């Protein structure tokens, strides 16, 4: 039986306050055996840390989101460093650059992006990258900071095949989610087709980026098989093979059993 790992999910989001257990139960019923919960500010990090204590099959990635970089302090980073020593914290992030929203000035985003890369290197944890309309600067900073030393994931990757290959050379995996199922999503479909399966991970980013045919509704981790099915269709492979390989990739990448 095929099993899946959702490598990027926000079960700590307010959208699940009313029915979190049902959402988790549906994920398990859909053979989603493990989920990586992303904490990206004080509230969501605290919630992620509680979830990984409450559920054996949940793990956490913690960091500070670029949109909220203006709110980050040195004290926050020290707190993240202390929490990241927990054995079920498996990465730093999501961090990176977001030039779509203008809440945080670019130079402040870049400062905390670099600081979190350095923290990941200090802790020997991978980095989970958020990139929105900032690809050239994200790639440049990863290169300048030698992020290849720990590697990471290009979360919800929406760039070109060429950029994906550049990131793979830096020891990064490519995360694909709901957008790969969208009819007009040319680049994610090209990446899913062209990039070898050994470099791909699947995710939902739930409650956001809901895959077809549920687009427009709240996303949840039980939908991650839909991502695998579309990648399988594009690659002309059995979905079981995509499920098996992406699960192996996630376990190896996050060092989880």
């Amino acid at each position: 039986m095929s099993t899946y790992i959702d490598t990027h999910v926000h079960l700590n989001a307010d959208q699940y306050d009313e029915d979190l257990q049902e959402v988790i139960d549906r994920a398990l019923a859909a053979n989603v055996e493990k989920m990586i919960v992303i904490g990206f500010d004080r509230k969501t990090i605290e919630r992620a840390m509680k979830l990984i204590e409450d559920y054996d099959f949940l793990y956490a990635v913690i960091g500070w989101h670029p949109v909220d970089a203006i709110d980050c302090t040195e004290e926050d980073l020290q707190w993240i460093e202390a929490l990241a020593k927990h054995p079920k914290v498996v990465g730093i992030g999501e961090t990176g650059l977001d030039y779509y929203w203008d809440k945080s000035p670019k130079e402040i985003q870049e400062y905390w992006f670099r600081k979190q890369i350095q923290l990941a290197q200090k802790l020997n944890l991978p980095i989970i990258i958020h990139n929105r309309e900032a690809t050239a600067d994200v790639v440049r900073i990863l290169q300048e900071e030698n992020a290849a030393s720990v590697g990471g994931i290009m979360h919800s990757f929406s760039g070109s095949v060429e950029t994906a290959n550049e990131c793979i050379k830096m020891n990064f995996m490519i995360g694909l989610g709901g957008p790969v199922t969208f009819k007009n999503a040319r680049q994610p479909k090209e990446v899913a087709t062209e990039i070898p399966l050994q470099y791909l991970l699947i995710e939902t980013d739930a409650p956001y980026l809901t895959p077809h045919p549920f687009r427009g509704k709240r996303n949840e981790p039980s939908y991650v098989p839909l991502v695998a099915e579309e990648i399988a269709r594009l690659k002309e492979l059995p979905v079981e093979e995509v499920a098996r390989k992406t699960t192996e990739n996630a376990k190896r990448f996050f060092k989880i059993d």
Side-chain angles (χ1 to χ4, degrees), residues 64-66 94-98 109-110 113 116 128-131 138:
W64 210 271
H65 199 286
E94 59 187 283
T95 181
L97 300 173
D98 191 309
Q109 292 190 41
E110 180 172 329
F113 184 20
Q116 289 180 83
I128 284 58
I129 302 299
H130 173 101
N131 165 30
V138 165

Side-chain angles (χ1 to χ4, degrees), residues 41-42 45 63-64 68-83 112 119:
D41 59 14
R42 280 260 167 188
I45 289 170
W64 210 271
D68 300 312
I70 197 165
D71 302 322
C72 193
T73 66
E74 297 292 344
E75 184 185 19
D76 290 323
L77 209 64
Q78 289 165 8
W79 176 64
I80 289 166
E81 179 176 351
L83 291 178
W112 290 113
L119 176 60

Side-chain angles (χ1 to χ4, degrees), residues 113-250:
F113 184 20
R114 290 183 187 273
K115 293 285 275 191
Q116 289 180 83
I117 296 169
Q118 292 158 14
L119 176 60
Q121 290 165 328
K122 181 178 179 182
L123 297 170
N124 194 31
L125 287 171
I127 316 153
I128 284 58
I129 302 299
H130 173 101
N131 165 30
R132 192 160 184 193
E133 299 184 6
T135 300
D137 285 348
V138 165
V139 171
R140 173 179 58 80
I141 291 166
L142 290 173
Q143 289 169 337
E144 289 173 359
E145 293 292 337
N146 188 31
S149 62
V150 287
I153 302 172
M154 305 306 289
H155 147 63
S156 192
F157 187 79
S158 61
S160 66
V161 171
E162 293 73 24
T163 301
N165 281 318
E166 249 185 293
C167 295
I168 288 165
K169 284 180 195 155
M170 290 191 289
N171 201 20
F172 276 74
M173 302 289 285
I174 306 300
L176 293 175
V180 79
T181 70
F182 300 168
K183 194 162 30 171
N184 59 349
R186 182 179 59 82
Q187 284 192 310
K189 289 185 189 296
E190 286 177 359
V191 166
T193 304
E194 298 294 331
I195 297 300
L197 204 44
Q198 72 198 78
Y199 301 117
L200 296 182
L201 295 170
I202 56 175
E203 58 173 69
T204 58
D205 200 24
Y208 318 107
L209 298 179
T210 313
H212 178 79
F214 301 106
R215 193 175 181 183
K217 298 179 179 168
R218 183 188 68 173
N219 199 2
E220 54 179 75
S222 63
Y223 296 158
V224 82
L226 297 169
V227 178
E229 287 166 16
E230 178 62 9
I231 294 169
R233 186 187 72 79
L234 291 163
K235 286 190 169 298
E236 299 180 347
L237 292 171
V239 68
E240 294 78 13
E241 185 174 345
V242 173
R244 179 185 60 78
K245 189 60 183 167
T246 56
T247 297
E248 283 175 8
N249 292 348

Side-chain angles (χ1 to χ4, degrees), residues 38-90:
I38 313 298
F40 57 81
D41 59 14
R42 280 260 167 188
K43 178 180 175 180
T44 59
I45 289 170
E46 286 170 354
R47 286 184 167 194
M49 297 305 294
K50 182 174 189 314
L51 283 167
I52 63 174
E53 293 291 347
D54 290 348
Y55 296 93
D56 289 347
F57 47 83
L58 298 184
Y59 296 81
V61 165
I62 59 174
W64 210 271
H65 199 286
V67 170
D68 300 312
I70 197 165
D71 302 322
C72 193
T73 66
E74 297 292 344
E75 184 185 19
D76 290 323
L77 209 64
Q78 289 165 8
W79 176 64
I80 289 166
E81 179 176 351
L83 291 178
K85 291 170 182 168
H86 189 293
K88 289 181 78 187
V89 173
V90 293

